[in-house]
Amino acid sequence: MGRGRAKAKQTKVARELKYHSPNTDLTALQRELAGAGKSDHDFDDDYKEYVDDDDEDHPDGDSDPWVRPAR
């Protein structure tokens, strides 16, 4: 029980969002969209130490036991 009050509040909030849009800073939006073409993301390889190198796993030259042998 008690679902009616929660549903009524959700409906009220949804109606407010649908019909009353908040003030939008159009200049900030324009700056953001204008800068969308350039990519200034520098992705560091934080997981470099976790890379699986077969040489480290099998230093004696044995093949990987999980790989199917070539026919």
Side-chain angles (χ1 to χ4, degrees):
M1 289 202 175
R3 172 82 173 114
R5 215 178 256 194
K7 185 172 181 356
K9 183 170 183 170
Q10 288 175 349
T11 304
K12 179 183 175 186
V13 170
R15 236 181 239 127
E16 286 178 11
L17 290 173
K18 183 176 181 180
Y19 295 114
H20 305 310
S21 63
N23 294 336
T24 304
D25 187 4
L26 297 177
T27 56
L29 179 61
Q30 184 178 11
R31 280 194 310 262
E32 184 177 341
L33 292 176
K38 63 180 181 177
S39 176
D40 56 342
H41 297 289
D42 293 330
F43 295 106
D44 293 332
D45 194 6
D46 293 337
Y47 299 102
K48 188 176 6 180
E49 63 190 67
Y50 300 110
V51 173
D52 185 22
D53 291 333
D54 288 335
D55 295 341
E56 293 177 6
D57 292 341
H58 306 287
D60 56 353
D62 291 340
S63 64
D64 192 351
W66 295 102
V67 175
R68 182 181 298 181
R71 290 184 178 188

